[in-house]
Amino acid sequence: MYAQLVKSEGTSREDMSPEEIAFQGRIDRNEKIEPKEWMPEGYRKTLIRQIGQHAHSEIVGQLPEGNWITRAPTLERKQILLAKVQDEAGHGLYLYCAAETLGVSRDELLERLHSGDMKYSSIFNYPTLTWADMGAVGWLVDGAAIMNQVPLQRTSYGPYSRAMIRICKEESFHQRQGYAIMMKMANGTPAQKKMAQDALNRLWYPSLMMFGPSDKDSVHSAQSMAWKIKMNTNDELRQKFVDQTVPQAEYLGLTVPDPDLKWNEEKGGYDFSEPDWDEFYQVLKGNGPCNKERLGARVKAWEDGAWYRDAMVAHAKKKASRRPVAAE
Ligand code: FAQ
């Protein structure tokens, strides 16, 4: 399996240095790699890319739901949504900390997000138009996030895998709160049920895109799986997500917007239509429905907070200069 994986990336065991071979041995034995230990430069860079993008996704991911905090239908729903959005901020912070252990600063990661050099998940470039979208985001988006993140609890980099353990616990609560909203809407008035169906129609394919391009087009999967930075391919996780979610949609009495969706007895899973990959790549290029708005909101928040960061640094410097020097 390993030889087959690295072949597609053009690296073979013969091209590896003794350190790289020893490192791969540790990965193959499921040992965790810790921050100060030797690692190949490519491993470090891939982790910074993936963990950094994951952190940015959690932070930008607050915006579509933040949009509904002031319009939640009841006080209870408002409290739950506030807690969920705050959790996403916390996830972003754990993940930035994990990335920092690889020698990149948080300022640099944010600078790269704001300049468009680093990505965040495509899903957050879609709008949340009705309250039912709060249900669909929790159910589908957090559901897809968990499907991807549960295996990442076993990822080879220690700080990332430990961050994932806590994050997954919170994401499970998020997924359930989303499904609870969908149950309420789907069993409510005909107008509410229609809103729930509309949210599913709009968010189904963008949720499938969260798993990344199909395996044949995934540029990083082979090497990332050899290094156990990724534990599954994009298509494997997408299939598992569809198999888990379709019965949940049926229970709600809603229809997945895919005329070709069909149970395949032989493979023990659903056959389903691929998302529109042209749309996916357009969103990645910055041309999705909300890319400009989302990035604009993050850049504005950064710029508006400059005075506060400056004040904190000035205060810390002043305090340090007043610290008494220890007597000789
Ligand atoms: N969006 O070769 P691959 C959440 C890029 S957390 C944007 O397959 P890879 C919580 C990819 O970066 C959601 N870009 O890449 C929440 C690469 O471009 P690059 C985030 C995407 O890394 C819920 C290129 O395409 N989760 O939702 C996407 O091996 C609710 C080629 O792709 C994570 O980040 C995409 N969907 O596999 C928050 C989990 N897919 O970098 C608020 C960790 C691919 O070369 C509310 N990440 N690209 O320029 C991963 O597992 C992987 O990075 C994948 C992509 C699976 C996302």
Side-chain angles (χ1 to χ4, degrees):
M1 166 86 161
Y2 170 70
Q4 190 194 344
L5 285 172
V6 290
K7 203 168 155 233
S8 65
E9 294 268 307
T11 327
S12 72
R13 219 167 251 270
E14 293 84 68
D15 297 330
M16 287 161 85
S17 68
E19 283 133 314
E20 285 170 333
I21 292 175
F23 178 84
Q24 189 62 49
R26 295 189 61 197
I27 301 276
D28 294 345
R29 290 192 297 278
N30 290 326
E31 285 179 28
K32 290 277 179 261
I33 308 300
E34 296 299 338
K36 300 229 164 91
E37 293 172 344
W38 187 86
M39 58 186 79
E41 192 50 20
Y43 178 83
R44 196 180 71 83
K45 283 197 172 142
T46 303
L47 277 171
I48 291 176
R49 181 183 63 79
Q50 182 167 314
I51 302 174
Q53 290 183 357
H54 193 165
H56 297 328
S57 303
E58 301 282 357
I59 297 299
V60 178
Q62 293 176 96
L63 296 168
E65 286 165 299
N67 184 34
W68 280 90
I69 291 172
T70 54
R71 288 174 285 162
T74 66
L75 181 60
E76 193 193 8
R77 289 285 180 209
K78 191 195 286 271
Q79 284 175 319
I80 296 170
L81 190 60
L82 261 173
K84 180 192 189 292
V85 172
Q86 268 181 322
D87 284 352
E88 309 299 0
H91 299 173
L93 300 186
Y94 309 146
L95 289 164
Y96 284 130
C97 285
E100 281 176 312
T101 65
L102 292 154
V104 64
S105 73
R106 197 173 300 202
D107 281 2
E108 188 188 331
L109 289 171
L110 290 173
E111 156 62 31
R112 290 181 59 194
L113 168 70
H114 297 158
S115 69
D117 177 43
M118 270 184 101
K119 298 185 169 74
Y120 55 88
S121 183
S122 49
I123 185 73
F124 302 117
N125 292 307
Y126 289 84
T128 44
L129 302 178
T130 72
W131 174 253
D133 289 18
M134 295 302 93
V137 167
W139 171 37
L140 301 175
V141 177
D142 286 274
I146 300 171
M147 192 55 83
N148 169 277
Q149 289 168 199
V150 164
L152 290 178
Q153 295 177 107
R154 290 181 287 114
T155 193
S156 61
Y157 189 56
Y160 191 26
S161 81
R162 291 188 285 275
M164 279 301 125
I165 293 170
R166 173 144 181 204
I167 290 178
C168 283
K169 288 202 170 90
E170 293 179 351
E171 298 288 23
S172 306
F173 150 70
H174 297 170
Q175 199 264 356
R176 280 167 195 215
Q177 69 84 37
Y179 197 70
I181 294 175
M182 290 307 278
M183 295 238 280
K184 195 93 183 161
M185 302 288 289
N187 293 307
T189 63
Q192 285 173 317
K193 184 163 185 185
K194 199 162 163 241
M195 279 165 72
Q197 181 62 55
D198 176 58
L200 172 58
N201 292 349
R202 283 181 290 104
L203 289 166
W204 175 253
Y205 286 104
S207 300
L208 296 189
M209 292 175 192
M210 285 177 72
F211 297 96
S214 61
D215 290 352
K216 65 179 173 18
D217 298 318
S218 167
V219 283
H220 301 294
S221 281
Q223 183 62 73
S224 289
M225 286 179 68
W227 278 331
K228 297 189 183 158
I229 289 175
K230 269 170 95 163
M231 307 304 289
N232 301 86
T233 72
N234 301 350
D235 285 340
E236 278 167 11
L237 292 176
R238 195 173 2 257
Q239 179 73 53
K240 279 179 89 170
F241 174 76
V242 171
D243 293 345
Q244 173 184 284
T245 309
V246 170
Q248 295 172 350
E250 281 167 1
Y251 185 76
L252 291 170
L254 300 179
T255 309
V256 172
D258 179 357
D260 296 327
L261 184 78
K262 199 164 151 253
W263 178 256
N264 180 330
E265 195 61 50
E266 216 170 287
K267 80 171 179 188
Y270 285 92
D271 290 332
F272 60 95
S273 303
E274 296 256 324
D276 177 347
W277 293 119
D278 289 340
E279 178 182 317
F280 171 74
Y281 287 112
Q282 279 303 321
V283 174
L284 261 56
K285 276 196 212 151
N287 301 326
C290 299
N291 291 60
K292 288 185 184 63
E293 186 185 329
R294 300 291 187 236
L295 207 51
R298 289 314 312 159
V299 171
K300 183 174 183 307
W302 178 253
E303 286 170 354
D304 289 353
W307 68 271
Y308 183 75
R309 291 191 305 278
D310 290 348
M312 295 305 280
V313 171
H315 178 68
K317 277 190 184 154
K318 202 166 172 192
K319 226 173 152 189
S321 71
R322 281 196 193 146
R323 202 168 288 147
V325 180
E328 293 281 310

